[in-house]
Amino acid sequence: MTRHRAPAAPSGRNACYLLVFPLAALLLASPPAALADPAPGSVRVTRTGNTVRVSWQAGSGPYGVYRSPDPTDVVRPAWLAGATQQTFYEEPVAAGIAPISFYLVDDPQRCVSAADCDNGINCDGVETCGTVTPVCLPGAPISCNDGDDCTADRCVEATGGCEYASLGCDDGDPCTIDSCRPGGGCFAVVDPDAGIGTAAELAGRSLPSYPHFEFTAAANQGTPVELAVDPSAHPAVTGQTCDVYVLAKRSAAEWCAGTALADVRGAPEARTFVAGGVRDNTFALAGSASLSPVDGTAIGRGYDLALDCNRNGTLDAGELADGLSDGPGFTVLRDLTQPGPLAVSQFDDIGPEPPHCSGGGNDDMRIYYPSVLNDPGTTGTYPLAVISHGNGHCYDWYDFLGRHLASFGFIAMSHDNNTVPGIETASTTTLTFTDKILAQQATLGGGVLNGHIDDTRIAWIGHSRGGEGVARAYDRLVDEAWPATQYSARDIAVISSIAPTDFLGPAQSDPHGVPYHLLYGSADGDVCGCPNNAVAQSFGLYERATGARQSTYVHGADHNDFNCCGFEDFSGPAGSAIGREEAQRVQKVVQLALLKQFVERFAPAKDIFWRQWEAFRPLGVAAGTVVVNELREPPARRSFVVDDFQAQPAPGTSSSGGAVTATVAALAEQREQETGGSFEWTGSEPMNGMTRGRNEDLGRGVVFEFAQGSPGFYELDVIPLARDFRDDTFLSFRATQMTRHPRTIAALGDLTFTVTLADTGGRRSSIGIGAFGGGIEEPYQRTGYGAGTGWQNEFETIRIRLTDFLRDGANLDLGNVLSIRFDFGAVYGSAEGRVALDDIELVKE
Amino acid sequence: MRRRLVLPLLALLAAVLALPGLATPPLPETPAPVRGVLYARPFTLDAPFRYDWSAEHPEVSSGLVLVLEADPALLRPRETQEPVLFVGALPAQRVTRAFESGRVVVLVPGPVDLASDPVWFGTPGLPEQVDATTARAERGLAARAAIAPVGRRAADAALAKGGPPARYASKTELLQALEALAREYGAAP
């Protein structure tokens, strides 16, 4: 360790001294006693692992700590590492880097008026001269995001105004068909008439029963990927021996530019396709378990698949390929419980209001960011994730999550949250801290974030009261025109609430149409989902979300498993606790995948949120951990809602107007809301166990039961105008077992049943949902609130690819579907049960 | 009539939350008195601040700093409803969050006479939703529950402990001054 006094003040400033230390330095002795700021004797330099931390006690200022490579030109905003009221600066180091010089500069750049601070750039806002401390403050960059994925937005420097141009998705290439997808931006597919292969689903996994194969978008690293061809769908391949290529993902334009095939495994494999069914033509792709999932900060790597049946090394007309578009054929996901590829740095911005994390002050935040930003030459922007803690919690309780997100290319910020007065104050804190980090990026952490925060891609994550606070904050942006200066509702890409409270109800705690996610632990002893307390029922917020929505219900996790340090509040049966470490593994997976899905439009991440957890458990999560997934597509992708049970209260008619017939017992259409204050089954409350909203929430569904030896069905006719399913991708619905009901208890376990499509010609095709693994999960076996065992009802989404109903030449006309039927009983799945259904619809990918 | 309706509801809430299967301790019954006022000191601020702990959001430029002693279960942070701490006509701002010691530093806006204004924990809820009407009703409930002000002698003792009125430039400066107080009374974490 060495320390040098600066030989002279840097030009134009009252520079006090120069700190130079080699990387091995651990401690810097006190600075000269004559220095007043920061606090004399408090400056320290420590190295822990690969991180060097310069810390000091704040003192009175004004001063700046600059990390400068040039002793003759110290005071540049980009080099500011700390300022008055800040107390430390951290950065990672790597072997071989030259010594770093830090300069403590007393009384840095002052100003008299805003004119002194004008940098001449219109689009970065109007710089001002601080009124408390007369230093230049950056302006608020002009936000031109109109929230429309199909316009290109920009600030015009000459005027400082915004310009919105229709996104030119047409790439001018006649070989591609280009379109703009709301929520997805420009997307191109290869023109089927271009003579470049034939688009087909090929990658997925085999199933133990009909439809025998599931075409999927994602696979886990280390798991073999299978390829299947259904000869009835692609009769031309029968009898052919084709070279099967696994290719690096190509865009549609890249396919058009070149059809030469190059297998990432080194060579293609030859496969012969035979007459018969899909099972006869299913193969594990050789070496697929070794395919790399690494692709920068993405959570997986995309691949395309091609069958070169004339074996000439190019994809020719009529040859099948999976991925003839801008999307991949399939994606190999990495272990998302493990850190991403980027080194992470963090710093605290501590405000003047004490005490730290103990009430009173609400002006502290901790920021996590990719360490590459410490290099002043780094360019590029990163999306922002804001974390708003719960009541009695602290902003420094989410290191595990903030660092995880930053390692995958996010700038994450966890802030003090003013939760004790209530949700309104909590939401104000979320709103203002989001403004703060954007407005002050030029100075926070020495300006290390400056210009690197993408203020059009913001995710809000809130826990508990903070989880409701983020929904309320969004509602205030939308309904009450909250005056955010740096961003608008359009910049909020997704919200994730962890076990949120519901103090304010639908009028105020409303996620509206923003993509919304709910993470919840079934053993929550605080926001417990208790039947007598609407405030403690998190799913009300989920039900209000009108856009894309997804929930992750984790069995055996409690409220504070999702932070580092909260009370032990586990409230479940002995032996069912999964523990904080495991709960956080699940949390890291789903919140990272969520942000990648909605902030970075990484579509394959969606598989994590709807496929049966038993069949597609993320790497790194324990085999015994039970997770129940629920997902609903945004309205633009709901191509036909057969029945959401909202518009038509008569049980004999669906909300789309078709006839409904049923032989199941005890059928009732009602609000999905428990009203008795108890989970005990009394026989008088059909929707017992539903905790899906307050009295003002109007979500409805259908509930019924079936007994041993008494199978039954529930069948919905499809209205004539909607009978053509050929352009749709999935049949989607959600179902739940009804807690504590004798028939649920009698057959405790995953509940399964069979779904049948019938066409107008009387032809039928059926799929048992058990084929995909799992089924509808049994309720978490928690007691309380009346006699019996079983906690709140757990809706789970089932999606069946419509073409699965055609598998192996099933005689069904998807262009004329007459009815959708659900059959229950031993022949069709579980022998008995009580089940609720909702949101039966067709969706388009 | 109102009393006969409200009190049984509160009792029912407490009873239901006490059912087995919940690891978080049940809410104590409210209204509940504090165990004592250990310290009281008036303050004034040169720069007023907007008070978040009531629905009316008054501008606060003077008030009282108190150190209270109470049942820790009343102070324990909860995500759902917490008992609202009242001093006189408004919810008080709890400056410290630690609860194990049963000591809490609070900030009371506006003029308060501890000899005549009661200090108590009211119906669980959110302070930001408490308006003057609610506060009056809560005060009525407290009175019916025989929760009385601490009295002149205790008030004078607390004020003597606190010393003369303090003047601060801002809320921030006030909060900074309260740090040492919280440590002194074991109300800091």
Side-chain angles (χ1 to χ4, degrees):
Chain A
M1 183 209 70
T2 348
R3 175 171 62 88
H4 302 286
R5 292 284 298 273
S11 172
R13 304 284 172 216
N14 299 320
C16 301
Y17 57 91
L18 158 67
L19 314 177
V20 180
F21 55 91
L23 293 178
L26 289 178
L27 175 66
L28 182 71
S30 303
L35 297 169
D37 303 312
S42 69
V43 179
R44 295 167 64 89
V45 180
T46 54
R47 177 176 178 174
T48 306
N50 288 327
T51 300
V52 162
R53 179 185 179 99
V54 183
S55 61
W56 59 91
Q57 290 176 23
S60 57
Y63 59 81
V65 176
Y66 289 83
R67 181 195 188 283
S68 171
D70 180 358
T72 66
D73 182 17
V74 170
V75 184
R76 286 192 183 188
W79 296 338
L80 184 68
T84 310
Q85 301 301 346
Q86 294 175 348
T87 56
F88 74 90
Y89 168 77
E90 270 188 357
E91 74 171 65
V93 293
I97 293 179
I100 303 167
S101 302
F102 286 88
Y103 300 82
L104 173 63
V105 177
D106 189 14
D107 199 14
Q109 183 183 3
R110 286 181 172 274
C111 52
V112 176
S113 69
D116 298 334
C117 302
D118 186 2
N119 64 4
I121 301 171
N122 284 324
C123 287
D124 70 353
V126 179
E127 294 74 26
T128 56
C129 183
T131 53
V132 179
T133 304
V135 296
C136 286
L137 302 173
I142 307 296
S143 175
C144 289
N145 182 17
D146 64 359
D148 184 345
D149 294 310
C150 297
T151 60
D153 315 327
R154 75 179 188 104
C155 174
V156 181
E157 181 52 40
T159 62
C162 292
E163 189 175 86
Y164 305 100
S166 181
L167 200 56
C169 286
D170 184 356
D171 60 6
D173 184 346
C175 170
T176 62
I177 298 175
D178 313 312
S179 62
C180 183
R181 296 179 170 185
C186 288
F187 191 85
V189 299
V190 174
D191 187 337
D193 298 326
I196 300 173
T198 296
E201 294 286 348
L202 297 174
R205 67 181 187 107
S206 53
L207 303 176
S209 58
Y210 191 84
H212 305 304
F213 197 84
E214 179 181 29
F215 294 109
T216 58
N220 284 325
Q221 177 189 13
T223 305
V225 178
E226 293 180 293
L227 172 145
V229 174
D230 181 352
S232 69
H234 304 289
V237 299
T238 301
Q240 295 204 56
T241 296
C242 308
D243 285 338
V244 178
Y245 282 84
V246 178
L247 307 144
K249 180 186 99 60
R250 298 179 186 178
S251 66
E254 287 168 336
W255 271 115
C256 289
T259 55
L261 303 174
D263 197 297
V264 296
R265 300 168 298 176
E269 60 187 289
R271 293 290 183 181
T272 300
F273 297 91
V274 299
V278 74
R279 281 174 293 180
D280 305 309
N281 294 285
T282 297
F283 313 100
L285 290 167
S288 57
S290 301
L291 290 173
S292 172
V294 176
D295 186 9
T297 59
I299 59 174
R301 175 181 284 274
Y303 296 91
D304 290 341
L305 271 175
L307 303 187
D308 179 17
C309 294
N310 60 11
R311 311 185 77 175
N312 66 352
T314 62
L315 184 68
D316 298 309
E319 292 182 323
L320 301 181
D322 193 349
L324 286 179
S325 68
D326 286 348
F330 68 96
T331 296
V332 178
L333 298 181
R334 56 196 299 166
D335 181 346
L336 303 183
T337 66
Q338 296 301 308
L342 302 178
V344 173
S345 298
Q346 67 183 68
F347 64 89
D348 286 355
D349 181 66
I350 305 296
E353 289 189 348
H356 168 76
C357 279
S358 188
N362 285 291
D363 53 1
D364 303 334
M365 60 180 167
R366 175 167 290 181
I367 294 164
Y368 316 85
Y369 62 95
S371 298
V372 65
L373 297 184
N374 292 320
D375 179 349
T378 297
T379 59
T381 60
Y382 298 79
L384 173 66
V386 175
I387 303 170
S388 305
H389 66 71
N391 196 37
H393 301 174
C394 184
Y395 70 86
D396 61 8
W397 286 13
Y398 296 90
D399 284 358
F400 68 97
L401 183 60
R403 296 188 70 86
H404 193 58
L405 295 175
S407 75
F408 280 95
F410 291 87
I411 292 171
M413 179 269 284
S414 178
H415 61 85
D416 263 342
N417 202 9
N418 195 13
T419 57
V420 198
I423 304 308
E424 201 71 2
T425 55
S427 67
T428 300
T429 332
T430 298
L431 290 159
T432 53
F433 268 94
T434 304
D435 251 343
K436 180 178 179 178
I437 188 173
L438 296 173
Q440 299 181 10
Q441 58 184 290
T443 54
L444 287 169
V448 70
L449 310 175
N450 195 28
H452 297 300
I453 307 176
D454 185 342
D455 59 9
T456 66
R457 294 188 296 162
I458 300 170
W460 278 344
I461 297 171
H463 191 181
S464 207
R465 286 193 186 186
E468 182 178 3
V470 291
R472 173 63 184 139
Y474 190 80
D475 182 82
R476 292 172 79 180
L477 285 172
V478 172
D479 283 350
E480 299 172 17
W482 170 267
T485 63
Q486 309 290 316
Y487 64 99
S488 69
R490 294 163 180 160
D491 301 316
I492 307 301
V494 65
I495 291 176
S496 180
S497 295
I498 308 163
T501 55
D502 186 14
F503 277 97
L504 303 184
Q508 293 181 294
S509 290
D510 183 355
H512 294 272
V514 71
Y516 185 75
H517 172 252
L518 175 67
L519 174 63
Y520 190 86
S522 67
D524 194 315
D526 198 335
V527 186
C528 53
C530 300
N532 69 329
N533 187 355
V535 169
Q537 296 178 5
S538 294
F539 279 88
L541 277 77
Y542 176 83
E543 295 294 324
R544 285 168 211 147
T546 57
R549 65 187 192 192
Q550 318 184 37
S551 79
T552 308
Y553 193 89
V554 188
H555 280 207
D558 65 45
H559 192 81
N560 285 313
D561 281 345
F562 300 118
N563 59 43
C564 73
C565 309
F567 301 127
E568 166 67 55
D569 63 280
F570 176 80
S571 298
S576 70
I578 64 170
R580 179 170 269 152
E581 204 174 319
E582 174 68 0
Q584 291 182 1
R585 279 193 283 267
V586 175
Q587 180 180 12
K588 286 192 285 190
V589 168
V590 298
Q591 291 190 314
L592 173 62
L594 181 84
L595 268 57
K596 288 291 182 181
Q597 183 187 348
F598 288 103
V599 176
E600 297 187 353
R601 298 173 177 168
F602 190 82
K606 189 191 294 183
D607 274 29
I608 292 172
F609 295 93
W610 72 266
R611 286 171 58 189
Q612 287 285 311
W613 192 266
E614 294 90 334
F616 189 54
R617 177 174 46 84
L619 291 174
V621 175
T625 297
V626 175
V627 172
V628 176
N629 276 332
E630 191 178 340
L631 174 146
R632 194 175 191 198
E633 294 284 359
R637 290 188 178 166
R638 298 171 201 160
S639 42
F640 177 57
V641 178
V642 182
D643 203 347
D644 61 5
F645 303 93
Q646 295 302 115
Q648 174 50 263
T653 308
S654 69
S655 58
S656 59
V660 177
T661 53
T663 60
V664 287
L667 185 145
E669 270 191 46
Q670 288 194 359
R671 284 181 56 235
E672 291 161 338
Q673 185 54 24
E674 157 75 55
T675 57
S678 160
F679 285 143
E680 182 175 342
W681 172 251
T682 61
S684 61
E685 190 182 13
M687 288 293 182
N688 182 54
M690 290 290 192
T691 52
R692 295 273 161 170
R694 304 160 70 104
N695 289 338
E696 311 93 290
D697 291 299
L698 303 174
R700 292 165 54 86
V702 67
V703 62
F704 47 79
E705 61 193 68
F706 54 102
Q708 283 270 15
S710 299
F713 68 84
Y714 184 81
E715 183 168 347
L716 304 102
D717 281 358
V718 180
I719 58 173
L721 283 175
R723 286 179 180 162
D724 188 349
F725 287 14
R726 288 173 298 182
D727 282 344
D728 304 306
T729 313
F730 290 102
L731 169 66
S732 175
F733 56 89
R734 64 175 180 171
T736 176
Q737 297 199 54
M738 302 299 283
T739 195
R740 300 195 190 183
H741 189 271
R743 302 206 188 288
T744 298
I745 295 165
L748 203 61
D750 281 323
L751 181 139
T752 58
F753 48 87
T754 295
V755 182
T756 299
L757 298 187
D759 65 24
T760 51
R763 294 163 293 218
R764 307 164 67 86
S765 179
S766 301
I767 292 175
I769 66 165
F772 301 102
I776 309 302
E777 196 70 33
E778 71 270 27
Y780 181 61
Q781 294 295 288
R782 180 174 166 184
T783 57
Y785 296 95
T789 303
W791 207 239
Q792 59 192 328
N793 299 328
E794 304 169 15
F795 269 117
E796 186 163 2
T797 293
I798 300 289
R799 303 196 332 163
I800 304 175
R801 192 177 288 273
L802 287 162
T803 51
D804 285 355
F805 288 96
L806 303 178
R807 187 67 30 80
D808 289 348
N811 196 13
L812 177 77
D813 180 5
L814 273 184
N816 283 292
V817 176
L818 179 66
S819 66
I820 302 166
R821 174 166 156 145
F822 300 84
D823 276 294
F824 301 88
V827 173
Y828 307 100
S830 299
E832 61 182 309
R834 182 174 170 85
V835 63
L837 282 177
D838 197 5
D839 295 335
I840 303 164
E841 56 201 13
L842 307 179
V843 300
K844 193 175 289 188
E845 288 283 79
Chain B
M1 188 64 186
R2 184 185 180 89
R3 176 187 173 196
R4 291 177 63 193
L5 280 174
V6 172
L7 289 178
L9 281 176
L10 295 175
L12 176 65
L13 176 64
V16 171
L17 290 177
L19 285 169
L22 292 183
T24 301
L27 276 167
E29 197 166 334
T30 56
V34 295
R35 289 175 177 161
V37 180
L38 308 180
Y39 172 103
R41 187 177 193 185
F43 68 84
T44 59
L45 301 175
D46 295 342
F49 72 94
R50 181 181 186 267
Y51 192 61
D52 288 333
W53 293 61
S54 87
E56 280 104 359
H57 303 301
E59 290 285 307
V60 174
S61 57
S62 66
L64 204 57
V65 170
L66 301 177
V67 179
L68 303 175
E69 187 153 47
D71 176 359
L74 288 160
L75 299 173
R76 182 187 173 101
R78 298 165 197 274
E79 300 301 332
T80 53
Q81 297 92 335
E82 290 177 338
V84 177
L85 174 62
F86 288 89
V87 179
L90 281 175
Q93 175 172 349
R94 291 162 54 174
V95 174
T96 52
R97 292 183 199 168
F99 68 97
E100 295 88 345
S101 69
R103 306 276 179 87
V104 60
V105 177
V106 306
L107 197 158
V108 185
V112 175
D113 180 359
L114 288 176
S116 57
D117 289 325
V119 182
W120 79 101
F121 288 90
T123 303
L126 297 177
E128 68 179 15
Q129 295 181 331
V130 174
D131 58 15
T133 305
T134 311
R136 274 195 299 275
E138 289 290 326
R139 188 162 179 166
L141 289 173
R144 284 190 280 275
I147 294 172
V150 295
R152 174 57 61 195
R153 173 177 278 186
D156 287 347
L159 286 163
K161 195 85 172 170
R167 177 179 171 181
Y168 302 102
S170 64
K171 179 190 174 191
T172 299
E173 199 174 281
L174 166 61
L175 292 173
Q176 287 168 346
L178 297 186
E179 267 197 304
L181 186 67
R183 280 196 298 273
E184 180 185 344
Y185 279 88

